[in-house]
Structures are given as C-alpha cells and as structure tokens.
Amino acid sequence: MPARTPQQSHPVSGIARVAVPSPLRRLFDYLIPANTHVQPGIRVRVPFGSRELTGIIVAIVDQSDIETSQLRPITEVLDHDELIPSHLLDLWLWAANYYQHPVGDALHSLLPAGLRKKSAASIRSHHSDPSQPEITPTDTDIPTPNNQQDEAIRAVNDSSGQFNSFLLDGVTGSGKTEVYLQCIDHILKQDKQAVMLVPEISLTPQTIERFRQRFSAAIAILHSGLTPRQRLNAWLEAASGVARIIIGTRSALFTPMAQPGLIIIDEEHDASFKQQDGFRYSARDLAVLRARHESIPVILGSATPSLESLYNANTGRYRHIQLTQRAGTASMPTFQLVDTRRQLSEPGLSSDLLLATARHLKQGGQVLIFINRRGFAPVLHCEDCGWTSECPSCDARLTVHRKPPHLCCHHCETRQPVPDHCPDCQGKSLGTGGTGTEQCESALATAFPDTPVLRLDRDATRRKGELERILKQINNGEPCILVGTQMIAKGHHLPGVTLVGVLDADNGLFSADFRGQEFMAQMLIQVAGRAGRASQPGEVLIQTSNPEHQSLQTLIHDGYHALARTLLNEREAAAMPPYGYLVIIRAEAVSMAAPQRYLTLARQVINSQIHSQQLNDIEVHGPLPAPMERRANRYRQHLILKSSSRSVLQSLLTPVCQILEGRSESRRVRWSVDVDPLDML
C-alpha cells in the first residue's frame, strides 16, 4: 500500500507490483531496495497499513501511478528463486480476473498454508508425511487393455508434448483408471510429471494405494485432510520435480510441476471441482487452460460427463473417446423401477428391495443401499399440534440423529438436544418423518441380523482411519450390507457388490435448480455403477413415487447419453449453459433488508454500465431471495446475469465490481461474484 512518508533516502532499483492478501481488487506498488534481486513469482514481506504481510511479486515495472516519494520499500525478500513459474502465475492472475475475485486474496488462497507467511520454502522430512520417495511396487501383473482402452491410451500418448483435450467417456467399470495409469507410465518414461485430481478426499487413499502398487515414482498428495507441513512438503516436492505424480483434490491443480507432462481430472462432472465460496474457481475448466499454457494433454474422465463437456466434445473442442464396455468379464447391471406408492414396508425399504437383498446375500453377494440423507430422520414433529423441529438460524429443519442423540442442522451445524415433549403444546406424541442413513442401518440390521451392516457417511467416517477400515472390510468379499450417501457413489471399486438399491430417486426430478435432472441422472448412474463390477452380474433397484416420469424412463431404458441429449436440447431452447453464460452476484447480511438494498444498487450500476457500453446481450434478473433465504442467521439475495457471450459479461463485470467495491454500502453486506455458477442455492 502506498505510504504517506517520503522514502527518497533509501536507494532503490525499481518498482515491484505485488499481490497482497486483501479484499481490494488491485495490485500494490513497492520500491525494490538497491542491490536486491527480485523477480515475478517470489514472495516478499511488505508494509500494508499498520501491518506487515506476505505478498507475491507479479511484475517489475518502471513507473507507478503513485508518486515514487509516496511508495514504501519491500521489507524482506523471502525466496531466492521464483516460487511460482511464470506460466502458472499467469494462470493464477487470469483466473482471479475471470472469476472476479480480489487478485491478492486469490493468490494467497492458492498457496499452501505453510507459504502464506514468512516460512522458508524448504522441504522438511516428517515421519507422518504421506509422500514417500522410496516405494516398492507390488502390482507386476499389468492388465492387457481391450481394444477401446488401447485406442484411448494411444490417442493420449500420441499427444505427448502438445496440447489436446480428451473427454474419456467410459461406462462405470470400463477401466478408465487403467487408461490413466498407462498414460502416466508413458509420461514417467519421458521423465515428466503428471497431476491427477479426484473429487473427494475419501477417494484419495484408494487411488494412492493403487498408484503405489503400480509405480516406484514418488507421489505427492495434496488435500485439506493433511497438516500444513505435509501439504507444503508435497507442494515443494512437485515443484522441484522430486515427486513425479501429484494426486489431490481441487486446489492441487495449482501445484507447480518442474516437468509438466499430463493433467487428469477424474469424475470431471463432479460439482466439487467448483469452489463454492471465497475464490469461486472451476478446477476442471482451469485444468484445460493450464494444459494449453503448458502444451500438454489433459484428460477429463467420467461415466456421466457434464453437459458442458459433452457440448465441447460435440463442437470439436474436446476429442471424444468412448469406452462402451466394461473391462474384463464384467457386464452392465440391469435396472428396475420400484413404485413406492404401492409398496413400502420397513422405513424407506420396499418389499421388492428387501426380497432382492435376501436373495443376493444368500448367493454370497454384497448389497449397497444408497440414501442421500444423513442422520436418523429428516424431521422431528409433534403428532398432536403439528410442530416441527426448525433450525433457529436457517430456513431448514433440524435432522434427528440417534448416535449420539441430538438434533442437527446440516447447513449451519446448529445442534440441540432431542426434546422429550413438544415445545409448543407440551405433548408427548413426538415422532419422526422420513428416513436417513442411521434409520436405514437400524432397519436392515433388524431384518438381516446375521449380516454385517456398515454405514458410510460423513458422520460414520469422522474418526481417522474409519473410512479405510470400512472399505477394507467390504473388500474382503464377505456378504455384507453397505448403507451410505453420495460418498459411496464416487469412483469406489467394490467388486463384491451385486445389488444396488436407491431409496429415493425423486429429489432431482422436481428441483428448482435447472441442473437438477442432470445431477440426478449422474448420481443414479454413478451409484448404480458400483454393482456387478466383477464376474457376478449386477442388479439395480430404484425406488420412486414417479416411475412414469419421462426422464427416469429414458435414463434406465436408453441410458445417460440419451437423457443428456434431451437435456441439452432443453438448455439450447432456453439459452442456458452451455448455450449461454450465467453470473450470480450474491449478497448476505444479518438484516433482511440490507442484501436487497445492496443488490438494487448493484442493478442500478449494472444498468448504467450496460447503457454506457451499449451492451445489448445481457439479461438482469432480481434481486431475488436465495432458494434458502436465511442460512446461519444471515439473509441472502441473488442478482442473476445472463448472456450468450462470456466476453460481454466480463466487459460488464470488471467495471461493475470496481464501482461496487468503492461504495460505502459494500461494507454493510457480504457480497461475492459467482461466474459460471454450479450451485444456484
């Protein structure tokens, strides 16, 4: 930040433009002390108001918009060499500008926590570090790829050293991971590195184990479940080239590679690749941009590709590679819709599903029951007066949990004890409504007392190592029943599962979100794909109260891609993504009126810019209450912008954000810009 005291007594050798972690959408100029070597991509300590902060130099310039006498000097240079390569720094800056986020805050959030202050950028060995350079692979029996896999491997390998985007569109169990492994092997033989992103931390241990069985190369692991020192070690090992394979979640995309060779986005359709707060970037979309900058291939893999990726494949931006058959002797599972309007016995479980469960267990198979609701029941209610357990901080109900007993809001984590009488009428007739994973687990344990029932959700896997323990028990092949949420639908290879039961397929059919049916179809196909992945055939029973719904009928009879074509036609008719582009300006405050007032002001600024720039291709909707208007005691409003042109939206957003940032009203609300939003809530 410019100082107000002259600095002319200090010899200087230039001006550094520094990204400082702050909510301001600008860079700050500082004097470079004489005889000090600096360059873009290194960290420096700089005075910022009354504080001293760690910033990143993004440019060296000859002149500043501020008088030189008013500039303050860099206090300390923290790195001798560039910490962030120039092409990666350019990507970071582009992302901050495109997603309309303060550049210093964006760069700060992408650095490992260990580099955000004054710490030295050095690797420190630690016995708990998951990065292990010395590994003896045990998987020497590399499977021979089938014709489709071989074609995919050759296509990617032929693109080595040049940019190409591949959509690896393979049915569940088609061997996409084997394609990844063989492409990575090709890259390693060229002495290059590969980065692979997975959507969830829960998938990381399984992925790492398979990679370590296959490769002797050092693997760097990056996700939020690690300590700051572990993440810093992994980041630096990748940047120095010590680690040849980088595996991680969303933010691992920004890890430097000394010899970049390949980027893989596994389950590219997954919404977790889009950051939903703070710096709202899409790791999937930026992966393609990074691959272009580094002239390397990128693979986007999924059994249920996003409509955006299918559109890019249809228009030739991505090379579309399809794997239509399962690897080895496995076959695709059969599907059956179960009408819950006519049969429902145990909590949430139809008689058809219970009979099928008994049959598969008797045959030695494992059963997976999918229900995307944690807890025992979604609501506690009074049967006398109709009272329901509402969250005091959100427009949501408190979920009933039994282990341990409590009421919990899954939006703000408010917790309350379970009352023994109705707070309104003092009656004792309290009951629960709906079914959650805990209740389903209990009902199945009662129905099948001789069979282990394992629950896999966020509550059951909080304890360290619990997820690995459950997966190990499942993979021993003994008959068991697995009850879980979407955690079990993403990429897990469960060869013993022969039956999948989906308890409620209706939520996405009538969602207020225009992506609701796409998300519903992806979830159903992904969880169904856990069945029949080995030699035994798989069966999928989907419980629904709307079995005649056209989307469900299309999905189970014609497949995901047939439904995707229908949804794409609907999106095109409505000019919605991927045929149009959206931006949501969000505002929230403890006052109900403040967000609406602020977004009304924002709309006035937007309309003024549209008029002055003569921008005709923009629709403005709102302010509108968010679908959940009150969350964590804050009221939320949305302003939605829509256009058929990304560049038009960007030309509008940049001046609008600068104007809004300077308005005093901005300090009375918490506001943000969400470019290409996935979450409309």
Side-chain angles (χ1 to χ4, degrees), residues 67-81:
E67 288 290 334
T68 305
S69 61
Q70 297 298 309
L71 297 179
R72 300 165 78 178
I74 292 170
T75 303
E76 183 180 0
V77 178
L78 300 180
D79 306 308
H80 296 295
D81 300 310

Side-chain angles (χ1 to χ4, degrees), residues 250 270-282 519 586 631 636 672-674 676-681:
R250 182 176 55 233
D270 199 281
S272 66
F273 287 123
K274 178 70 157 63
Q275 175 79 17
Q276 301 294 354
D277 54 18
F279 180 27
R280 298 172 182 264
Y281 66 91
S282 167
F519 292 160
R586 307 173 188 266
R631 182 173 179 176
R636 308 184 303 151
S672 63
V673 180
D674 192 354
D676 302 332
L678 280 186
D679 179 6
M680 303 298 290
L681 303 179

Side-chain angles (χ1 to χ4, degrees), residues 175-188:
K176 292 184 292 295
T177 302
E178 184 59 34
V179 173
Y180 302 153
L181 291 169
Q182 298 213 20
C183 290
I184 289 173
D185 183 60
H186 179 77
I187 289 297
L188 295 178

Side-chain angles (χ1 to χ4, degrees), residues 146-204:
N146 60 33
N147 291 338
Q148 290 184 334
Q149 289 174 308
D150 188 57
E151 180 183 344
I153 294 165
R154 284 190 287 106
V156 176
N157 290 348
D158 289 346
S159 292
S160 181
Q162 57 184 318
F163 168 69
N164 219 325
S165 298
F166 296 93
L167 176 60
L168 185 61
D169 179 358
V171 299
T172 54
S174 59
K176 292 184 292 295
T177 302
E178 184 59 34
V179 173
Y180 302 153
L181 291 169
Q182 298 213 20
C183 290
I184 289 173
D185 183 60
H186 179 77
I187 289 297
L188 295 178
K189 289 175 180 176
Q190 297 180 27
D191 200 27
K192 295 181 180 179
Q193 295 165 280
V195 59
M196 177 168 166
L197 302 191
V198 295
E200 297 283 352
I201 292 175
S202 63
L203 294 181
T204 311

